[in-house]
């Protein structure tokens, strides 16, 4: 298993695997449940999503090519391990796809006065769906004080090879900023 640092890249040699995202919420938070949402943007060479249906999230759980499948929305983030998972099958990916970006956002962050400064132990990992063996992991140890959305990492294709890059950058405009960026 490889523990990644921010900005580090590693080849992903499995055709299918699962992306697991997890987090804990500080006990001294806002008194309202945190609903963090994992999303995947399937992007082409122009840096934009291939079509609206290639934005995979809690209201669109599967990409049209069947390559990216969100396993469902976790409304509280309680429990150990992954809070949300996205299954990837690169053998089915649309040939126009050159990148899959994984973003985590806080649902109703402004209304509930919540941000990633109140979230701890956030991570993204890739594991073999069949064996459960963890291939790589990136623990976000950055201090996000006002951010309501974080790009955890991305898969990207270079010279026919898929690689994963640990990103760990946040911003405060929530999901809307990513929709604007990739649409």
């Amino acid at each position: 298993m490889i523990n990644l640092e921010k900005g580090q890249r590693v080849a992903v040699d499995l055709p299918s695997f699962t992306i697991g995202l997890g987090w804990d919420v500080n006990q001294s938070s806002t008194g309202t449940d945190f609903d963090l949402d994992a999303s995947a943007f399937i992007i082409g060479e122009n840096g934009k999503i291939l079509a609206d249906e290639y934005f995979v999230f809690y209201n669109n759980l599967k990409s049209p090519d069947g390559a990216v499948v969100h396993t469902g929305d976790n409304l509280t983030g309680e429990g150990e391990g992954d809070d949300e998972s996205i299954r990837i099958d690169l053998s089915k990916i649309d040939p126009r796809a050159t990148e899959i970006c994984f973003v985590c956002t806080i649902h109703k962050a402004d209304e509930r006065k919540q941000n990633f400064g109140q979230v701890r132990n956030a991570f993204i990992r890739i594991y073999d769906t069949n064996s459960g063996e963890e291939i790589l992991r990136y623990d976000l140890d950055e201090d996000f004080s006002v951010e309501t959305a974080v790009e955890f990492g991305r898969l990207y294709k270079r010279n026919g090879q898929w690689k994963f890059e640990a990103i760990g950058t946040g911003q405060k405009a929530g999901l809307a900023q990513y929709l604007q960026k990739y649409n």
Side-chain angles (χ1 to χ4, degrees):
M1 199 257 304
I2 301 170
N3 270 314
L4 296 178
E5 301 288 325
K6 184 173 181 166
Q8 194 174 355
R9 300 163 191 218
V10 64
V12 178
D13 295 324
L14 285 174
S16 72
F17 49 87
T18 301
I19 302 278
L21 299 105
W23 53 81
D24 293 317
V25 176
N26 292 339
Q27 294 306 315
S28 62
S29 63
T30 61
T32 309
D33 280 345
F34 272 66
D35 178 8
L36 273 66
D37 297 316
S39 306
F41 295 87
I42 304 167
I43 300 166
E45 280 185 27
N46 64 354
K48 304 294 181 187
I49 56 173
L50 300 178
D52 288 346
E53 302 78 35
Y54 286 89
F55 167 48
V56 177
F57 68 116
Y58 60 85
N59 271 342
N60 178 39
L61 296 176
K62 188 175 183 180
S63 61
D65 54 16
V68 179
V69 179
H70 194 301
T71 61
D73 193 9
N74 177 335
L75 298 176
T76 64
E78 289 186 14
E80 293 297 310
D82 300 340
D83 291 307
E84 293 195 6
S85 299
I86 300 172
R87 291 196 187 107
I88 308 291
D89 186 344
L90 295 174
S91 70
K92 295 180 179 178
I93 195 91
D94 187 301
R96 299 172 296 160
T98 59
E99 184 177 335
I100 306 170
C101 175
F102 300 98
V103 171
C104 194
T105 55
I106 302 174
H107 186 64
K108 296 186 177 178
D110 291 340
E111 180 183 315
R112 296 176 179 175
K113 296 180 175 44
Q114 296 173 340
N115 59 58
F116 271 92
Q118 298 156 314
V119 174
R120 58 189 167 74
N121 302 330
F123 66 85
I124 183 170
R125 69 187 189 112
I126 293 179
Y127 64 93
D128 184 317
T129 308
N130 298 321
S131 71
E133 179 191 353
E134 192 167 275
I135 313 298
L136 63 86
R137 179 183 187 98
Y138 169 47
D139 293 305
L140 279 78
D141 52 10
E142 287 77 10
D143 183 19
F144 298 110
S145 57
V146 297
E147 291 82 353
T148 59
V150 175
E151 185 174 345
F152 275 46
R154 70 183 184 116
L155 282 167
Y156 66 97
K157 189 175 183 179
R158 291 289 182 277
N159 302 321
Q161 164 94 58
W162 284 93
K163 295 184 177 191
F164 179 83
E165 179 182 14
I167 304 284
T169 44
Q171 48 84 2
K172 30 182 195 200
L175 190 56
Q177 185 165 338
Y178 288 105
L179 288 169
Q180 187 177 15
K181 177 180 177 181
Y182 294 125
N183 243 333

